[in-house]
Amino acid sequence: METEVLIIGGGTTGTGIARDLTLRGISCILIDQKDINAGASGANHGLLHSGARYIFKDGEAAVECHRENLLLKRLAPHCIEDTGGLFVAVDQDDDDYIAQFPKLCVKYGLPCKEISVDAARQKEPCLAENLKAAFEVADAVVDPFMLSLDNAAHAQSKGAAILRNMKLTGFEMRNGKIHTAQVENRRTGEKLTIKAQEFVNASGAWADNVAAMAGASIPMSYSKGSLLVTQSRINQAVINRLRPASDADILVPGGTVSIIGTTSVEIDSLDDIRPTVEEVDAIIKEGAQMVPKLATTRYIRAYAGVRPLVRTAGGDGRSISRNYTLKTHTEDGIDNLVTITGGKLTTFRLMAEKASDIVARRLKNTNPCLTETETLPPSTKGEWTEPGKSPRVWMANPERRDTLICECEMVSEYMVDEIVNDLKAEGTIPTLEEVGRRSRIGKGPCQGTFCSFRLAAYLYRKGELADSQGMGQVREFVNERWKGFMPLVRDKELMRVELQESFLCALFGMEEDDE
């Protein structure tokens, strides 16, 4: 295969670069070793920052967040729930820190309005009784899966190729340039060689691994952050704790649930990323100081992502800048590689623009960036990722009330058909993992215990699975969900887990797996 630009990494930044380049008339191929948003882009709060979170430590990042927040609300409104946000302080929080907050917001041009404690509690009755300060800011909620899938879809409509399950295995170097990339399909074992004029490393936490294949090095630090998903929605606006960054400072509503997090734990390996019991306990304890209901509510799942931070000085995960890093690699003697990593979901478009500017300049393409002005069109590819949409559509359309595959989230057969058809149109083999990522299947209270088997049976009936493929995919799907709720199991939850274990092991013989 041959293209002008090969993009490595299918998160929000990688898909944003694909869209940016194709809008400039530059051809590109994007590869990911798994799927769209399989890394940190799919394991975060889904928070569209107002910028206020960063005013104490990084004014430049705060201003960037504010600007991109406004742009995305205007250009990708279908991906965003404009909830607004609150920064709140309770009795034990520092008065000097609270007093500085509105002053710094004014300094960096961020909208911020102090409201009374009573007004804050009327707005969000879940807030603690000992609240002592509250400020309204312009936070919002973004669906990161819909955002990336729609960026990828728009890029594909402009000629880009999106290749999933393609793992980079090496580069061929010639005269200080990458000549070709060798990739392997992790499902079929098929090997490909891709020739490109420019290469973009947007692989997030794997940025150093990719750079090393070209003989370069990026000093990375890996900070794991864990989050918990409540069974029902607790808050209407984003709620931030007004104190220096710590565990469980942000409660984000997302459709029918709320998400509380996060932690910051330095790790050395990317091989097995999962939340721990200790992190879950810390999140519930700290979060309950701000929203007491978090101590007693039911959680359906925990998950963890890795922040890819570039280390420029000593310090732990929270002290390293959350801003992005852009490297041209000219200092490494490589003339056609760009690495973009770090940063935040909110600034993905800006990061994609900066990386694309370098690539376009090297290719002598003078067309301007259009993602700052052109609306992101909705696509069918991200349609069923939105929490709460499946039941709304199913109830509102009697003629489309076919059999439900996922009863918790009310995902029906025709919704699965649409996802499968989209995947097949892209040349991708539909699996439980891919269908689950593009829908709400497995994300409800049963966490895939029942719907994983129903989905496998349906895919067999439609001829999409054969032989023993289904059992392996069900095991992979269920194991991934169990990683998320095992740290939450305690008290009454033990009864639910025993029922699930009996179903999975005694009925379907899945006990042979160590997970």
Side-chain angles (χ1 to χ4, degrees):
M1 300 181 75
E2 187 166 348
T3 183
E4 286 183 280
V5 183
L6 176 65
I7 303 161
I8 302 151
T12 48
T13 303
T15 56
I17 292 169
R19 177 174 182 246
D20 190 313
L21 291 176
T22 54
L23 285 170
R24 299 182 199 225
I26 298 172
S27 67
C28 63
I29 295 174
L30 182 150
I31 61 171
D32 193 281
Q33 60 181 340
K34 289 187 175 178
D35 195 4
I36 300 298
N37 275 18
S41 294
N44 53 66
H45 268 110
L47 169 58
L48 190 67
H49 281 286
S50 62
R53 170 61 56 183
Y54 302 106
I55 56 173
F56 285 93
K57 292 179 61 177
D58 192 340
E60 182 183 357
V63 173
E64 284 179 352
C65 281
H66 174 51
R67 182 173 181 275
E68 292 300 308
N69 173 300
L70 297 178
L71 274 176
L72 289 174
K73 285 178 180 175
R74 179 164 55 84
L75 299 174
H78 62 287
C79 298
I80 292 165
E81 182 182 354
D82 195 359
T83 60
L86 289 173
F87 271 75
V88 301
V90 294
D91 279 347
Q92 54 267 52
D93 293 330
D94 181 72
D95 288 334
D96 290 337
Y97 195 87
I98 297 167
Q100 284 297 313
F101 181 77
K103 297 175 184 175
L104 288 171
C105 284
V106 170
K107 176 181 177 181
Y108 294 113
L110 274 57
C112 171
K113 177 185 176 185
E114 184 171 10
I115 61 174
S116 70
V117 168
D118 288 342
R121 295 200 73 250
Q122 283 184 351
K123 188 180 179 72
E124 295 291 351
C126 62
L127 287 168
E129 292 284 349
N130 64 343
L131 207 67
K132 66 176 181 181
F135 299 87
E136 288 181 332
V137 296
D139 287 335
V141 179
V142 59
D143 182 338
F145 292 98
M146 185 182 291
L147 189 65
S148 293
L149 289 168
D150 284 352
N151 270 283
H154 198 202
Q156 286 176 294
S157 73
K158 300 289 182 183
I162 309 292
L163 306 180
R164 301 179 181 83
N165 299 307
M166 286 291 185
K167 183 175 182 180
L168 179 72
T169 58
F171 290 125
E172 180 191 353
M173 307 294 295
R174 291 187 186 177
N175 303 318
K177 286 190 172 185
I178 301 173
H179 182 62
T180 60
Q182 288 78 50
V183 301
E184 180 176 344
N185 188 310
R186 72 182 181 96
R187 293 201 182 277
T188 67
E190 180 188 9
K191 295 180 180 178
L192 291 175
T193 297
I194 301 174
K195 183 179 180 182
Q197 297 174 49
E198 292 289 328
F199 294 79
V200 179
N201 176 8
S203 57
W206 289 266
D208 186 40
N209 301 40
V210 171
M213 293 184 193
S217 176
I218 301 173
M220 302 290 293
S221 177
Y222 306 118
S223 172
K224 183 183 70 166
S226 294
L227 306 100
L228 311 184
V229 183
T230 62
Q231 180 166 325
S232 57
R233 182 164 173 159
I234 293 174
N235 51 320
Q236 299 309 308
V238 175
I239 301 176
N240 303 266
R241 180 85 175 267
L242 184 48
R243 65 175 181 178
S246 186
D247 291 346
D249 276 351
I250 309 175
L251 181 66
V252 177
T256 55
V257 302
S258 292
I259 301 172
I260 178 71
T262 174
T263 55
S264 181
V265 179
E266 281 200 75
I267 57 173
D268 298 322
S269 171
L270 301 174
D271 291 338
D272 188 20
I273 307 301
R274 64 175 72 198
T276 64
V277 173
E278 292 75 19
E279 286 179 285
V280 169
D281 288 342
I283 289 171
I284 294 174
K285 180 182 177 183
E286 289 291 323
Q289 294 178 14
M290 178 174 69
V291 176
K293 189 176 182 180
L294 291 170
T296 55
T297 196
R298 182 185 180 191
Y299 297 91
I300 57 173
R301 187 167 183 262
Y303 60 95
V306 177
R307 303 177 187 91
L309 307 174
V310 176
R311 189 180 291 279
T312 55
D316 61 18
R318 290 202 189 278
S319 67
I320 300 175
S321 172
R322 294 314 199 243
N323 214 338
Y324 63 85
T325 296
L326 180 62
K327 290 178 68 70
T328 62
H329 291 286
T330 51
E331 69 278 17
D332 300 313
I334 307 168
D335 294 336
N336 64 341
L337 175 64
V338 173
T339 292
I340 180 86
T341 190
K344 296 165 284 293
L345 173 64
T346 303
T347 57
F348 88 94
R349 191 213 60 82
L350 179 65
M351 294 165 63
E353 178 185 340
K354 297 298 183 185
S356 298
D357 281 347
I358 294 172
V359 170
R361 192 160 56 244
R362 285 175 172 175
L363 292 172
K364 303 190 186 311
N365 179 302
T366 58
N367 293 328
C369 171
L370 296 179
T371 59
E372 190 175 6
T373 55
E374 187 161 321
T375 299
L376 176 67
S379 78
T380 58
K381 302 181 191 305
E383 184 177 5
W384 301 113
T385 62
E386 180 186 338
K389 179 173 182 177
S390 301
R392 286 202 309 273
V393 171
W394 195 85
M395 292 298 292
N397 296 277
E399 73 282 4
R400 304 186 77 176
R401 286 182 190 169
D402 55 353
T403 303
L404 291 175
I405 289 179
C406 173
E407 292 184 352
C408 298
E409 297 284 333
M410 297 185 70
V411 181
S412 71
E413 289 180 350
Y414 92 82
M415 298 171 191
V416 171
D417 287 342
E418 289 190 351
I419 295 168
V420 167
N421 290 338
D422 272 339
L423 287 167
K424 291 172 71 175
E426 297 172 7
T428 300
I429 302 170
T431 66
L432 267 67
E433 179 185 350
E434 271 93 12
V435 175
R437 185 163 285 117
R438 287 158 180 77
S439 69
R440 298 292 301 168
I441 290 178
K443 298 181 176 68
C446 93
Q447 288 293 295
T449 302
F450 302 100
C451 55
S452 58
F453 289 97
R454 287 194 188 122
L455 178 57
Y458 184 66
L459 293 180
Y460 271 116
R461 199 162 81 239
K462 301 289 285 187
E464 305 297 346
L465 292 176
D467 302 324
S468 60
Q469 289 177 328
M471 199 62 183
Q473 290 188 22
V474 167
R475 179 175 284 111
E476 185 180 348
F477 188 89
V478 171
N479 279 345
E480 190 61 31
R481 308 315 292 179
W482 271 63
K483 278 168 57 177
F485 73 75
M486 287 305 291
L488 298 169
V489 176
R490 58 204 72 193
D491 301 329
K492 295 179 181 177
E493 289 299 307
L494 285 167
M495 291 187 287
R496 179 167 68 100
V497 170
E498 285 198 358
L499 173 64
Q500 289 174 304
E501 186 178 26
S502 300
F503 185 80
L504 295 170
C505 297
L507 187 58
F508 287 98
M510 296 183 70
E511 69 280 4
E512 61 192 53
D513 194 287
D514 291 335
E515 296 285 339

